[in-house]
Amino acid sequence: MIKPAIPQGTRDFASSVVLKRQYILNAIRDVFETTGYEPLETPAMELLETLTGKYGDEGDKLIFKILNNGLSDPAHSEKAKTGFQKILEGKNSDDITSRALRYDLTIPFARFVAMNRGTLHFPFKRYQMQPVWRADRPQKGRYREFTQCDADVVGSHSLWNEVELVHIYRNAFDALGLTEATITINNRKLLAALALKCGAPSLLTQITIAIDKLDKIGLDKVLESLAQNGLNDEQVNIVQTYLSITGSNSEKMDRISALLQGIPEAEKGIEELHFILERVPEHFVTIDFKLARGLDYYTGTIYEVKAPASVQMGSIGGGGRYDNLTELFGVEGISGVGISFGVDRIYDVMETLNLFPSDLNTHLKVLFFNMGEVESAQAFECCVAVQRAGISAMLYPDAVKMDKQFKYAQKRLIPYVVIIGSQELTDKKVVVKHLNTGNQVTLPINELISHLQNQTK
Amino acid sequence: MIKPAIPQGTRDFASSVVLKRQYILNAIRDVFETTGYEPLETPAMELLETLTGKYGDEGDKLIFKILNNGLSDPAHSEKAKTGFQKILEGKNSDDITSRALRYDLTIPFARFVAMNRGTLHFPFKRYQMQPVWRADRPQKGRYREFTQCDADVVGSHSLWNEVELVHIYRNAFDALGLTEATITINNRKLLAALALKCGAPSLLTQITIAIDKLDKIGLDKVLESLAQNGLNDEQVNIVQTYLSITGSNSEKMDRISALLQGIPEAEKGIEELHFILERVPEHFVTIDFKLARGLDYYTGTIYEVKAPASVQMGSIGGGGRYDNLTELFGVEGISGVGISFGVDRIYDVMETLNLFPSDLNTHLKVLFFNMGEVESAQAFECCVAVQRAGISAMLYPDAVKMDKQFKYAQKRLIPYVVIIGSQELTDKKVVVKHLNTGNQVTLPINELISHLQNQTK
C-alpha cells in the first residue's frame, strides 16, 4: 500500500479550479483569436539539446530531464556507466538523458519556426497555452508545473506588432476585470545606450541583471552591486539618474532624451517608444525605464504587466522584441515580438479580488431522484430527453434515501431536483423543486422541458 | 548551431490540427458536462511509486521517468552512485528518479480519489482530458505523447452508471458524425465463469490475455497459445465454443446462458448485461463475448468502441467497471466504472472519413491592408473597432506591396480584405474585397462594421 501523494510543487485541479482556469484561458484565447493569432501546440518533451544553453546557467539547472528507457539492457550497460559518470560531473549524456520537459513556450516556438520555415506564412502569428515545468524551489505563486500563455509574431520588424500586443494585453485584462493591471514598457536599446553612456558597453548584461532586481532589493543595493561589479562613481551616478526618471509618459520621454542624447542606439529606442505611445490610448501603457527583463534575447521593446496595486503579486505578464531567436537553430533574420500571460498568478490575483463570475460552478442543472426500479426507468428516460434539449442533467444512480440524494444536490450546487415517485409515475407527472428558493411545483411530465427552459434562461 | 528536431513519437500541432483536435475535445466535453461529469486535471508528473506496478511488467518499462535534479551535488554523490547501480540492474532508485510522467488518467484519478476521499461528494463523476506519455515504439496510430479523454464515476455500484456511459459514447460519436462506430460490451464475470467452467479459475488472467489478442492473431493462434499454457483439449474446446457464439444480442445472451449455466459468477454477469441491454436502445450496443480488455483491474462490464468498418483502425475507445482500484492506495470499497476516448485515433478516423467541418480554418475574417504610414493609422483604428464588434481582424504590419498582402490573405484563408488607400482616406471610405467571390465594394467607413456583420452571418 502506498500513501497517496503528488510531487512537491505540483497541484491537482478539482472542478471549481478547472472551471476558473478555463475562464481565464478562454478570455485570453478570445482576444488572441480576434487579433488573428493561430493556435500551436508543441510536445511536452523536447530534445535536451534544444533546451540546454538557452536559459542561462541557472535556468539549465532547473530543466527536468527524462531518463532514457532501457538502461538496464546489457547491450548498453558500458555506455550507461560512462554516461552516469558525466551526469555526476554535472554534464549531460545522451546515453542517460536525451529528452527534457518544456521549460517555456518561447524556445519550442523558435524551434518550430526554424523547423517549418519553408511552409509557414510570414508574418507568422501564433498563440500557445500549455504547461511548462521548472525544478524551482516551490513557494507562494511559484510552482514546478505552471501554465504559460504566449502570443508571438515573427517575420515582421513593424512596430505595429508592438502596438497590437499592447491592445491584446489591455483587452484581455479588461475582459478579466483586471482593469487596474498596469502595462509597463521600456526598450532594450535604451539600456544598451545607458551602458554606452557609462562608457562600458560590455557591461550591458550586468547592468540589465542588476536593474532587473530593483523591485526585489531596492535602489541602494542595485547601485552597490554595480559598484562591486567595477562601475566607478560617475558610472553609478549615470545609472542612478537613469533609474530616477519619473513623471508622465511624455515627461519621462523628454528626460531620457536629455540624458542619453547623441547616442544613436538611444535615439532608435526613443523613436520606437514614441511610435507605440502615439498609437495607443494614453492610459493603456506606462513608460518605466526601470524595467529590464532578465532574459538575454530581447533587443527592442520590452513589456511587463503589474498586478493591481491592492494585491501583492508583482509581474503577471511580460515579453518583448527579439531579433535573433531562431538563429540558435541556424535560421537568421527572423525578428519577432511576443508577450506572455502568467495564468497561475492571474488566477491568484482574481481569487484575491473576487473577480470570478459566481455561476462558474453550476454546470449541472438538474438531478433526477432515483425512487426505485420502475420509477428510475421513467426518470432516466426523462433525463435523456432533458439532456437532449441541451440542459445538463443526471439520474442519481442508486435508489438510496431521498435525504442522501438531496444532500448530493446541495453539495454539487445543482439548482433543480426532479422527483418521479410511484404516484407521479401513475399520474404521468413530475415534481420539480428549486433548491435555491425551496419552491416546488407538480407538472405533467411533457411540460418538464419547457418549464426547465424557462427557469434556466 | 543545432538542427531543429523533436523527439521520436511526438508531434507539433499546427493551427489547423489544433482546431480539429479542439473540435473533437469540445464535442466530447459537451457530452460529459451535459451528463453531470466534473472536470479534473492532475499534474503531468506523478511520484514514481504511484505509477510502478500498476500497468504490468510491460507497462512499467514504458513509463518515462524523470531524472532528479542536483545529482552532481557532491553531498549526494555517494547515494547517486549506488542509485545508478540499481538503475543498471533494472530497479528503481529514489536517489536517481522519484517522479515519472503520467502513463494514463485512471491511476492518477484513483490516487486523487484516495487523497481527497474526505471532501469528495460520492458518487463522484469526473472527466479528464490530458496528454499521457508512453515509451512505446512509435508506429502508425501510436505516439509517445497522446491525449486521453476519460469519464469515470466512483462510489456507486449501480448499473445505471454503465447505462449512462453507453449513452455518453453514443452521443459523443453521433456528435462527431461517427454514427457507424460500434460500441461493444462484455462482462468480466463471464470470463471468470469461463475459467471456472474450464475447471481452472487460476487461469483467468491467461485466458483473458489470450482472448485479448484475438483481433491481432486470430482464433487458431489463441487456442494454440492456451494449449501451450496448459489447457487440455476439453478446456480449449470450451473456450472455442465460448468464442464462437454469434447472433443478435438476445441470441448471444441465450447461448451464453446455456454454455455457462449453473455458475453463479456467470449468472451475475448475465444479469448485469441484461440490465444494460434492457435500458438502452437496441442499436446502441453490440454484445461481444470475444471482448476481454487487457487490464487486470476490470471486474464487471467492459466496453470497447470499434471504428467504422470502412477504416482500418481498431479500437477508438474502451473502459469498464473496477471494484478495487483505490485499494492500491489503501482505500477500499470504492467501486467505479469509466470509459476512455482515444482522441488521436478518433482524429485519424475523422480525417480519413472527411468528417471535420470545412470552416474550422477560418478564425480570421478580415485583413486590413497596410498602405503606408498615415493610411495604416486609419486602418488600425478601423481594425480595432471591427475586433470590438466581435469580428476577428488584423492589420498587415508592414507596408509592403499589395501583391504580398493579398498572398498572405490567401494563404491564411482570410475571406475579406479591407483597403484604405490615400483616396479612401480622403473620402472617408473603405474598399472591401471578398476573396472567395472576387466581389469588391466601396463603402463609407462608418458602414464597414454593419457590412461585415451582414456578410459573416
Side-chain angles (χ1 to χ4, degrees):
Chain A
M1 191 211 102
I2 305 152
K3 190 173 178 297
I6 51 173
Q8 211 195 356
T10 70
R11 297 161 292 168
D12 288 318
F13 298 128
S15 124
S16 62
V17 181
V18 173
L19 295 173
K20 287 173 180 170
R21 289 171 59 87
Q22 279 174 355
Y23 177 80
I24 296 173
L25 294 176
N26 288 343
I28 299 173
R29 184 187 295 113
D30 266 4
V31 176
F32 287 164
E33 291 190 348
T34 304
T35 324
Y37 286 75
E38 301 178 18
L40 171 71
E41 290 177 14
T42 63
M45 292 189 256
E46 291 278 347
L47 294 177
L48 183 54
E49 61 182 17
T50 299
L51 304 186
T52 45
K54 311 301 188 300
Y55 307 107
D57 288 348
E58 284 308 304
D60 270 3
K61 286 183 194 155
L62 304 183
I63 293 172
F64 279 113
K65 295 164 191 172
I66 293 163
L67 202 60
N68 290 352
N69 291 74
L71 289 176
S72 60
D73 183 338
H76 302 144
S77 70
E78 273 315 306
K79 275 190 177 177
K81 277 180 199 163
T82 320
F84 280 145
Q85 196 52 46
K86 282 194 190 171
I87 299 284
L88 287 181
E89 290 161 13
K91 298 173 198 156
N92 289 334
S93 163
D94 254 6
D95 292 317
I96 301 303
T97 169
S98 55
R99 285 161 297 212
L101 291 181
R102 194 164 54 212
Y103 180 91
D104 72 357
L105 302 178
T106 307
I107 293 297
F109 172 58
R111 190 266 309 146
F112 174 84
V113 170
M115 258 177 90
N116 298 280
R117 61 192 180 284
T119 56
L120 297 176
H121 29 256
F122 292 101
F124 177 56
K125 302 169 82 173
R126 87 86 175 76
Y127 74 86
Q128 194 169 350
M129 306 177 141
Q130 291 189 285
V132 301
W133 295 270
R134 297 183 186 179
D136 235 325
R137 196 138 48 96
Q139 60 183 53
K140 185 174 174 293
R142 195 202 278 160
Y143 308 100
R144 287 184 164 171
E145 174 179 63
F146 58 99
T147 297
Q148 286 194 337
C149 207
D150 285 17
D152 288 81
V153 48
V154 291
S156 163
H157 287 87
S158 166
L159 290 159
W160 276 116
N161 299 302
E162 271 84 338
V163 172
E164 182 179 78
L165 291 171
V166 170
H167 276 266
I168 287 178
Y169 261 148
R170 191 74 275 157
N171 291 341
F173 285 117
D174 283 356
L176 293 170
L178 285 166
T179 49
E180 301 296 313
T182 309
I183 304 167
T184 61
I185 58 170
N186 192 11
N187 194 298
R188 268 289 172 91
K189 294 184 176 76
L190 298 181
L191 288 163
L194 177 65
L196 281 168
K197 173 91 180 170
C198 290
S202 63
L203 289 179
L204 170 59
T205 301
Q206 275 172 54
I207 292 176
T208 305
I209 290 173
I211 295 179
D212 196 39
K213 291 184 182 151
L214 196 62
D215 273 354
K216 280 184 204 154
I217 63 176
L219 180 61
D220 291 348
K221 299 243 174 201
V222 167
L223 299 177
E224 216 171 276
S225 99
L226 285 171
Q228 280 163 5
N229 273 291
L231 272 70
N232 62 31
D233 285 358
E234 193 191 343
Q235 291 169 325
V236 171
N237 270 339
I238 294 169
V239 175
Q240 183 169 13
T241 311
Y242 171 91
L243 291 177
S244 308
I245 292 176
T246 55
S248 68
N249 283 343
S250 66
E251 286 165 348
K252 283 178 190 163
M253 292 302 284
D254 290 345
R255 285 164 195 169
I256 197 80
S257 299
L259 179 67
L260 299 176
Q261 67 178 319
I263 304 173
E265 197 71 1
E267 280 165 16
K268 189 84 178 68
I270 288 164
E271 185 189 318
E272 292 182 7
L273 282 178
H274 269 306
F275 187 98
I276 300 171
L277 290 177
E278 283 162 8
R279 284 165 183 79
V280 302
E282 174 79 25
H283 65 284
F284 271 26
V285 287
T286 304
I287 295 280
D288 184 358
F289 297 126
K290 297 191 292 297
L291 175 61
R293 302 289 300 161
L295 287 167
D296 260 357
Y297 50 66
Y298 293 125
T299 50
T301 309
I302 45 180
Y303 302 86
E304 192 161 285
V305 184
K306 292 179 185 5
S310 55
V311 191
Q312 294 294 322
M313 185 56 83
S315 164
I316 53 175
R321 163 76 65 176
Y322 42 84
D323 281 331
N324 308 307
L325 201 59
T326 54
E327 216 175 79
L328 297 167
F329 302 100
V331 178
E332 293 183 33
I334 304 186
S335 181
V337 55
I339 57 171
S340 184
F341 288 81
V343 174
D344 298 79
R345 287 187 168 190
I346 291 170
Y347 180 97
D348 290 345
V349 170
M350 289 182 64
E351 272 293 40
T352 308
L353 298 177
N354 205 12
L355 289 177
F356 288 107
S358 58
D359 59 354
L360 281 180
N361 285 326
T362 51
H363 267 307
L364 185 56
K365 289 282 184 294
V366 187
L367 179 69
F368 284 82
F369 274 20
N370 188 326
M371 306 295 284
E373 192 178 331
V374 194
E375 294 86 348
S376 63
Q378 175 70 73
F380 186 78
E381 192 183 305
C382 209
C383 177
V384 167
V386 167
Q387 291 167 348
R388 203 167 291 142
I391 301 168
S392 57
M394 66 173 270
L395 167 69
Y396 194 91
D398 305 271
V400 296
K401 281 182 185 158
M402 281 179 75
D403 185 41
K404 198 169 175 188
Q405 301 188 48
F406 263 120
K407 276 193 184 142
Y408 184 77
Q410 283 166 341
K411 279 189 188 158
R412 286 198 60 183
L413 308 174
I414 305 170
Y416 297 93
V417 306
V418 175
I419 304 166
I420 304 176
S422 56
Q423 189 59 51
E424 286 80 22
L425 194 66
T426 312
D427 300 348
K428 298 202 162 102
K429 295 203 165 167
V430 294
V431 173
V432 183
K433 198 174 165 79
H434 189 189
L435 290 196
N436 297 352
T437 62
N439 288 346
Q440 181 173 317
V441 288
T442 304
L443 300 169
I445 199 162
N446 57 12
E447 290 176 18
L448 174 63
I449 290 176
S450 59
H451 177 78
L452 290 170
Q453 280 169 333
N454 287 332
Q455 294 284 319
T456 56
K457 248 176 208 161
Chain B
M1 191 212 100
I2 305 151
K3 191 175 177 296
I6 51 174
Q8 210 195 357
T10 70
R11 297 159 291 169
D12 289 317
F13 298 128
S15 131
S16 62
V17 181
V18 173
L19 295 173
K20 286 174 180 169
R21 289 171 59 89
Q22 280 175 354
Y23 177 79
I24 296 173
L25 294 175
N26 288 342
I28 298 173
R29 184 187 295 113
D30 266 3
V31 176
F32 286 164
E33 292 190 347
T34 304
T35 324
Y37 287 75
E38 301 178 18
L40 171 71
E41 290 177 15
T42 62
M45 290 189 257
E46 292 280 347
L47 295 177
L48 183 54
E49 60 182 17
T50 299
L51 304 187
T52 44
K54 310 301 188 300
Y55 307 107
D57 288 348
E58 283 309 304
D60 270 3
K61 286 182 194 155
L62 305 183
I63 293 172
F64 279 112
K65 296 165 190 170
I66 293 162
L67 203 60
N68 290 352
N69 291 75
L71 289 176
S72 60
D73 184 338
H76 301 145
S77 69
E78 274 314 307
K79 275 190 178 176
K81 276 181 199 163
T82 321
F84 280 144
Q85 195 52 47
K86 282 193 190 170
I87 300 283
L88 287 181
E89 290 161 12
K91 298 174 198 155
N92 288 335
S93 163
D94 254 6
D95 293 315
I96 301 302
T97 169
S98 55
R99 286 161 298 213
L101 291 181
R102 195 164 53 212
Y103 180 90
D104 72 358
L105 302 178
T106 308
I107 293 297
F109 172 58
R111 190 266 309 146
F112 174 84
V113 171
M115 260 177 88
N116 298 280
R117 62 191 179 284
T119 55
L120 296 176
H121 29 257
F122 292 101
F124 177 57
K125 302 169 83 173
R126 88 85 176 75
Y127 75 85
Q128 195 168 350
M129 305 176 142
Q130 291 189 284
V132 301
W133 297 269
R134 297 184 186 178
D136 235 326
R137 196 136 50 96
Q139 60 184 55
K140 186 174 174 291
R142 195 201 278 162
Y143 307 100
R144 287 185 163 171
E145 173 178 63
F146 59 99
T147 297
Q148 286 193 338
C149 209
D150 285 17
D152 288 81
V153 48
V154 291
S156 164
H157 288 88
S158 168
L159 290 159
W160 276 115
N161 299 301
E162 270 85 338
V163 172
E164 183 179 77
L165 291 171
V166 170
H167 277 265
I168 287 177
Y169 261 148
R170 190 75 275 157
N171 291 341
F173 285 117
D174 282 357
L176 293 170
L178 284 167
T179 49
E180 301 296 314
T182 309
I183 304 168
T184 60
I185 57 171
N186 192 11
N187 193 298
R188 268 291 172 89
K189 294 184 175 77
L190 297 181
L191 289 163
L194 178 65
L196 282 168
K197 173 89 180 172
C198 290
S202 63
L203 290 179
L204 171 59
T205 302
Q206 275 172 53
I207 292 177
T208 305
I209 291 173
I211 294 179
D212 196 39
K213 291 184 181 151
L214 196 61
D215 272 355
K216 280 185 203 152
I217 63 176
L219 181 61
D220 291 347
K221 299 244 174 200
V222 167
L223 299 177
E224 216 171 276
S225 99
L226 286 170
Q228 281 163 6
N229 274 291
L231 273 69
N232 62 32
D233 284 359
E234 193 191 344
Q235 291 169 325
V236 170
N237 269 338
I238 295 169
V239 175
Q240 181 168 15
T241 310
Y242 171 92
L243 291 176
S244 308
I245 292 175
T246 55
S248 68
N249 282 344
S250 65
E251 286 165 348
K252 284 178 190 163
M253 291 303 283
D254 290 345
R255 283 164 196 170
I256 198 80
S257 299
L259 178 67
L260 299 176
Q261 69 178 318
I263 303 172
E265 197 72 2
E267 280 165 17
K268 189 86 178 67
I270 288 165
E271 187 188 317
E272 292 181 6
L273 282 178
H274 269 307
F275 187 99
I276 300 170
L277 289 177
E278 283 162 9
R279 284 164 184 79
V280 302
E282 174 80 24
H283 64 285
F284 272 26
V285 288
T286 304
I287 296 280
D288 184 356
F289 297 124
K290 296 190 294 296
L291 176 60
R293 302 289 300 161
L295 287 168
D296 260 358
Y297 49 67
Y298 292 126
T299 50
T301 311
I302 45 179
Y303 303 85
E304 192 161 285
V305 184
K306 292 181 184 7
S310 55
V311 190
Q312 294 294 320
M313 185 56 82
S315 163
I316 53 174
R321 163 75 65 175
Y322 42 84
D323 281 331
N324 308 307
L325 201 59
T326 55
E327 215 175 79
L328 297 166
F329 302 101
V331 178
E332 294 185 32
I334 304 186
S335 180
V337 55
I339 56 171
S340 185
F341 288 80
V343 174
D344 298 78
R345 287 188 169 191
I346 291 170
Y347 180 97
D348 289 345
V349 170
M350 289 181 64
E351 272 293 40
T352 307
L353 298 177
N354 205 13
L355 289 177
F356 288 107
S358 58
D359 59 354
L360 282 180
N361 285 326
T362 51
H363 267 307
L364 186 55
K365 289 283 185 292
V366 186
L367 179 69
F368 284 82
F369 274 19
N370 189 326
M371 306 294 286
E373 193 178 330
V374 194
E375 295 86 349
S376 63
Q378 175 69 72
F380 186 78
E381 192 183 304
C382 208
C383 177
V384 167
V386 167
Q387 291 167 347
R388 204 168 290 143
I391 301 168
S392 57
M394 66 173 270
L395 167 70
Y396 193 91
D398 305 272
V400 295
K401 283 184 185 156
M402 281 180 74
D403 185 41
K404 199 170 173 186
Q405 300 188 48
F406 263 121
K407 275 192 185 146
Y408 184 75
Q410 282 165 341
K411 279 190 188 157
R412 286 199 61 183
L413 308 173
I414 306 169
Y416 298 92
V417 305
V418 174
I419 305 167
I420 304 176
S422 55
Q423 189 59 50
E424 286 79 25
L425 194 65
T426 312
D427 300 348
K428 298 202 162 105
K429 295 204 165 165
V430 296
V431 174
V432 183
K433 197 174 164 79
H434 189 189
L435 289 196
N436 297 352
T437 61
N439 289 346
Q440 181 174 315
V441 289
T442 303
L443 301 169
I445 199 162
N446 58 12
E447 290 176 18
L448 174 63
I449 290 177
S450 59
H451 176 79
L452 289 171
Q453 279 170 334
N454 287 332
Q455 293 284 319
T456 56
K457 246 176 207 161

